[in-house]
Amino acid sequence: MTATRLRTVILGCGNIAGGFDAARPADADPLTHAGALVRHGGFELVACVDPDLRRAQGFVERWGVARAHETAEALAGLGGGVDVVVVASPTDRHEEHVGLAIELGARAVFCEKPIAPTLPAATRMVDACARAGVLMAVNHTRRWAPDVVALAHDLGAGRYGPVRSAYGLYNKGVLNNGSHMVDLAAFLLGDLALAWAGSAVADHWPDDPTIPFTLVAEGGVPVQVGVGHAADTALFELQIVTAEAVIAMEAGGARWRIRRPIDNPDFRGYKSLAVGEPVDGTYRLAMAAAVENLHAAVVEGRALASTGRTALAAQALCEAIRSASGADTASLAASRRNGLS
């Protein structure tokens, strides 16, 4: 067990807070905040908050949290101080809850994405944390996945030759899931600029359509992203075309496939791509790595892999995509449920 235990509060007791791990074996790789925090051992879960008190009490029982509350305001009298606040509440409550974390004297916030319904709200949150000296980690999880980290290093080192282009597929909202795609592309390929946005598809969130778009990465590398429909299947995949390989992230990172050029067996003098064997990805290790990074950032001063600033850059591009597509950019808060679930 890690020596320094950080007193931690979790706001919101839904799936990403702990629900996805609730019925999984104790030795399974954690997919949620609570699962990873408990597995790490360097965090003391002193309170959780959810407007559904029954769910919050179930969360207490499953994860060994000291106490449950229906409202975040009840934390004002929390004795012993708070080191870390996990913001896993609905997006339209994030600004309020990050503000509460600052008031509680937290040393770090671990916030779900998108960080806010609008870019101005996201900017206020990130700036407020910076002024208060509060570390802000944002759950763009793939920045912690070991295979993605290794790929970023290999691409930067030129292991696969020059990057020619990239192609993505996603659904379920340009801000909700599209921000993951934009952030992943930025992590792997560097600074991005918007070149084009297409027609919006209303496939899940009434206030966050899914939009095809094209970005341009450093060196003029095109990043073309298409869409699917959330009613059909979960969809999040990326192909990176380089001079020496086509590298494909499949099933959200659960699998990878690298296809390298081979001599074409039928047409002499031509190269074609080998089929490539799929290999298991390490996305399932990302949340544990995120929590390890968070603990080291608070205790040792280590840099965070995913921050408010990196998330803000992704959100700015997502807002630009929405605007360029002509999609309704009314505040996401208008149709989000007023609560923590």
Side-chain angles (χ1 to χ4, degrees):
M1 179 175 290
T2 304
T4 302
R5 301 193 75 205
L6 303 176
R7 289 172 56 82
T8 303
V9 170
I10 299 180
L11 302 179
C13 298
N15 281 334
I16 195 61
F20 289 131
D21 284 328
R24 299 177 77 234
D27 60 350
D29 294 313
L31 306 177
T32 65
H33 292 284
L37 293 166
V38 170
R39 172 72 68 86
H40 182 274
F43 298 84
E44 178 187 0
L45 304 186
V46 297
C48 64
V49 179
D50 197 283
D52 183 342
L53 187 56
R54 185 174 180 180
R55 179 161 70 174
Q57 290 169 339
F59 200 87
V60 163
E61 294 171 6
R62 174 62 181 86
W63 299 112
V65 185
R67 56 182 178 175
H69 298 286
E70 286 183 276
T71 67
E73 290 73 20
L75 296 172
L78 189 66
V82 174
D83 296 306
V84 175
V85 174
V86 174
V87 179
S89 49
T91 305
D92 66 346
R93 301 295 300 277
H94 284 185
E95 184 173 12
E96 171 192 348
H97 291 154
V98 167
L100 175 64
I102 294 171
E103 291 176 10
L104 290 171
R107 299 162 69 184
V109 170
F110 193 3
C111 187
E112 270 303 310
K113 57 78 209 166
I115 50 178
T118 66
L119 186 59
T123 302
R124 289 194 299 269
M125 292 165 59
V126 173
D127 288 347
C129 284
R131 287 193 302 271
V134 176
L135 296 173
M136 186 177 187
V138 177
N139 196 23
H140 280 134
T141 324
R142 289 170 185 84
R143 283 181 178 261
W144 287 289
D147 46 17
V148 176
V149 173
L151 177 59
H153 177 271
D154 289 344
L155 291 173
R159 177 182 173 187
Y160 298 102
V163 177
R164 306 302 194 193
S165 60
Y167 301 86
L169 289 169
Y170 83 106
N171 56 17
K172 207 173 180 181
V174 68
L175 193 54
N176 281 272
N177 278 1
S179 63
H180 272 301
M181 183 64 72
V182 169
D183 184 75
L184 176 60
F187 183 58
L188 294 175
L189 304 175
D191 291 340
L192 303 168
L194 177 63
W196 170 84
S199 299
V201 176
D203 69 329
H204 186 79
W205 306 104
D207 50 1
D208 185 22
T210 300
I211 302 168
F213 56 89
T214 299
L215 306 173
V216 179
E218 293 177 4
V221 174
V223 181
Q224 299 177 342
V225 180
V227 304
H229 199 289
D232 301 330
T233 182
L235 182 63
F236 192 92
E237 302 199 342
L238 180 67
Q239 285 193 347
I240 299 174
V241 179
T242 77
E244 300 175 14
V246 173
I247 305 160
M249 183 193 74
E250 302 173 350
R255 292 188 309 274
W256 289 80
R257 190 188 305 265
I258 298 179
R259 303 172 64 196
R260 293 185 179 274
I262 59 173
D263 291 331
N264 189 291
D266 300 313
F267 299 97
R268 185 167 32 179
Y270 284 86
K271 296 282 188 182
S272 57
L273 288 171
V275 173
E277 291 296 324
V279 297
D280 290 340
T282 60
Y283 182 56
R284 69 187 186 282
L285 305 178
M287 187 62 91
V291 164
E292 173 65 32
N293 183 209
L294 179 65
H295 191 276
V298 174
V299 176
E300 304 169 15
R302 190 181 304 175
L304 287 166
S306 179
T307 69
R309 293 295 175 193
T310 60
L312 196 59
Q315 181 144 351
L317 270 174
C318 290
E319 292 287 354
I321 292 165
R322 286 170 60 94
S323 178
S325 76
D328 179 12
T329 55
S331 172
L332 297 176
S335 62
R336 290 203 181 278
R337 189 153 57 91
N338 184 24
L340 275 156
S341 56

